[in-house]
Amino acid sequence: MPTQPRQRKRPEDLRSHRWLGPDDLRSFGHRSRMKQMGYGPEDYQGRPVVAILNTWSEFNTCHTHFRERAQDVKRGVLQAGGFPVEVPVLSLSETFMKPSAMFYRNLLALEAEEVIRCHPVDGVVLMGGCDKTTPALLMGAVSANVPAIYVPGGAMLKGNWCGTTLGSGTDAWKYWAERCAGNLDECQWRQIEDGIARSPGHCMTMGTASTMTAVAEALGMTLPGASSIPAVHSSHNRMAAESGRRIVEMVWEDLRPADVLTPEAFDNAITTDMAIGGSTNAIIHLVAIAGRAGVKLPLEHFDRISQRTPVIANLRPAGEYLMEDFYDAGGLRGLLGRIPDLLHLDCLTVNGKTLGESIAGAAVYNDAVILPRDRPLSRAGATFVLRGNLAPQGCVIKPTCAEPRLLRHAGPAVVFRDYPDLKARIDDEALDVTADSVLVLQNAGPLGAPGMPEWGMLPIPRKLLRQGVRDMVRISDARMSGTSYGTCVLHVSPESAAGGPLALVHDGDVIELDVEARRIHLCVSDEELAERRARWKPPAARFDRGYGELFVRETTQAHEGCDFKFLHAGRPTPEPDIF
Ligand code: FES
């Protein structure tokens, strides 16, 4: 059904009017300080004040175009009669932040929410792209619940090495394995370093960044087609300006995240995640975003949607192509146009139209990249949710990125108690490991690592690489990069540092994996496990103070989204007093 026009706000209803409109001493202060910056009432009075939350940073190599792109957003805001204000916020650099950008996702989410709330902001443009910036900004915007639109940063250009196309992450892992196996020399390795990241923009495989921006679009939080535009394409500048124009209208229409982020919108996001063969990280982020909106997403819900959704994006790491190819093939609109029967088409999006209206007329220009329904990469099951005595609260695996023969496997565990232990021993020639072993990493979860780093694609021991082994069953409470691949069982919950059964695994214990049956089983008797549990001691507390202490105290487990407990949906936070 076509959308109905929404009732429009009056200028005196603007949130910013509380700061800038009244004839009192406080408002005098606000207006005089606007004049300090050279702005008079004609610049802002009666106009929506639009905050552009910019995650630009010279540490964030994926966002190097954001200062320029913020100017495009401003142009659009001004054209539509708004008053743009650029506001820098924490940038989550996937590359440089340690222990993990995930450790700081909730910090940016909290900052975004409070920056919006404490300022005279009528509407907000969220600029992100590098992995965690997307969920963090969306989480903050949901909780603040003022009109908000997301401007995805766009993927970087395809990588190239002497004529061979390179994909972010995916090909780094692939060629590193070849280097470790002795098949690449240092000169070739440096050439790959030269060519794998060639322009501004986020990773151009279907990693977490591309997944989460696509998910943001499917949720209805971007303009149609925005998430597929490469960062350096001129369409990206135009999309940014268009988003600036649109947010001004959204303010007058009072179209807020709560109007867009319904349970059906989350179903659309999960369906999209499955159809693009998206990153396993999307599950954690979607659970967290939904938690802010008061929507519960149990892991089995992902599994259900996964089973009915074909993977039709032929993109690395599951497939062959890269984001630039995806854009040229019709992008996300083209892909969604192939699965309308799996979507809730009447969901409202930030452009004021329904999802159905937004994808109407979408076309696919290259069937090799966006596959026809009858020739999918996989008929169903981009991500499976497993349970068993090793993961009572669930864990996940991405079978499209695994060697099929390993999806049903039993083997003896080789246990690493934490990442330093893994690093110290994995390439030890004396390590008792074969291609049939199951590599287990403990203490790599939300609290144990901390921050649940992307360590879940445990490296194959060099001695096995030299024998030609390229995949093994690996199990951890960590995440893995969306650009990674392999038979990696991830997000084991509860995690080992919280006393989950993963902490009780010993070298030589047989672990059974049966992905089709959704089962992961530690072949140790209940009595023996109870004895081991009685002897188990939690790891020593790492933090006495600061953000780390807050993180460990407040962060939930993987199946709950790893958000801070005190940031979950609850009674709306009141507007600030202005005295
Ligand atoms: Fe920024 Fe991959 S490092 S998206």
Side-chain angles (χ1 to χ4, degrees), residues 211-273:
T211 301
M212 288 312 300
T213 52
V215 156
E217 180 171 335
L219 281 170
M221 291 299 293
T222 76
L223 291 177
S227 67
S228 312
I229 306 171
V232 296
H233 197 294
S234 60
S235 298
H236 200 269
N237 305 66
R238 296 195 296 275
M239 176 273 291
E242 171 89 44
S243 301
R245 288 191 289 273
R246 178 61 199 150
I247 187 64
V248 176
E249 279 308 296
M250 286 174 65
V251 172
W252 292 125
E253 294 166 4
D254 201 22
L255 178 54
R256 299 172 185 240
D259 300 313
V260 173
L261 298 176
T262 59
E264 292 75 22
F266 283 99
D267 283 357
N268 287 340
I270 298 170
T271 300
T272 301
D273 176 31

Side-chain angles (χ1 to χ4, degrees), residues 101-389:
M102 181 67 181
F103 187 62
Y104 293 103
R105 183 198 66 181
N106 298 346
L107 185 60
L108 172 57
L110 180 59
E111 184 192 11
E113 175 183 350
E114 296 304 328
V115 159
I116 295 167
R117 180 171 295 120
C118 72
H119 288 114
V121 170
D122 297 304
V124 57
V125 177
L126 310 161
M127 295 181 63
C130 189
D131 290 22
K132 314 300 176 288
T133 51
T134 301
L137 290 170
L138 290 176
M139 289 159 74
V142 173
S143 296
N145 199 31
V146 305
I149 191 167
Y150 192 73
V151 170
M156 68 176 92
L157 294 175
K158 292 191 268 193
N160 190 286
W161 166 48
C162 302
T164 301
T165 299
L166 296 175
S168 315
T170 306
D171 285 305
W173 322 126
K174 177 175 150 188
Y175 289 110
W176 177 243
E178 295 310 321
R179 176 110 205 269
C180 292
N183 300 332
L184 273 183
D185 64 24
E186 173 156 7
C187 175
Q188 291 169 307
W189 184 240
R190 295 281 171 209
Q191 287 170 340
I192 292 173
E193 190 176 295
D194 288 341
I196 200 162
R198 301 196 297 167
S199 81
H202 60 68
C203 291
M204 76 323 235
T205 36
M206 187 46 81
T208 305
S210 304
T211 301
M212 288 312 300
T213 52
V215 156
E217 180 171 335
L219 281 170
M221 291 299 293
T222 76
L223 291 177
S227 67
S228 312
I229 306 171
V232 296
H233 197 294
S234 60
S235 298
H236 200 269
N237 305 66
R238 296 195 296 275
M239 176 273 291
E242 171 89 44
S243 301
R245 288 191 289 273
R246 178 61 199 150
I247 187 64
V248 176
E249 279 308 296
M250 286 174 65
V251 172
W252 292 125
E253 294 166 4
D254 201 22
L255 178 54
R256 299 172 185 240
D259 300 313
V260 173
L261 298 176
T262 59
E264 292 75 22
F266 283 99
D267 283 357
N268 287 340
I270 298 170
T271 300
T272 301
D273 176 31
M274 298 307 163
I276 59 180
S279 161
T280 43
N281 288 326
I283 296 183
I284 294 180
H285 298 319
L286 272 167
V287 170
I289 299 166
R292 297 297 187 97
V295 175
K296 288 246 178 298
L297 295 179
L299 288 186
E300 275 64 24
H301 194 57
F302 289 86
D303 199 87
R304 264 195 301 279
I305 292 181
S306 165
Q307 296 317 310
R308 69 169 197 220
T309 310
V311 181
I312 55 170
N314 187 10
L315 301 176
R316 296 182 202 184
E320 200 179 331
Y321 295 94
L322 295 169
M323 285 302 290
E324 215 178 313
D325 307 307
F326 185 57
Y327 175 69
D328 290 338
L332 192 68
R333 286 183 71 246
L335 180 138
L336 296 180
R338 291 216 150 151
I339 53 168
D341 51 311
L342 302 178
L343 299 167
H344 299 286
L345 296 174
D346 51 355
C347 283
L348 187 60
T349 77
V350 289
N351 72 345
K353 299 194 168 73
T354 63
L355 180 67
E357 290 169 310
S358 300
I359 63 172
V364 171
Y365 307 109
N366 188 339
D367 279 351
V369 180
I370 301 175
L371 302 165
R373 285 280 282 269
D374 58 356
R375 280 196 290 111
L377 211 56
S378 149
R379 296 227 160 265
T383 309
F384 281 58
V385 174
L386 317 174
R387 283 188 196 259
N389 67 347

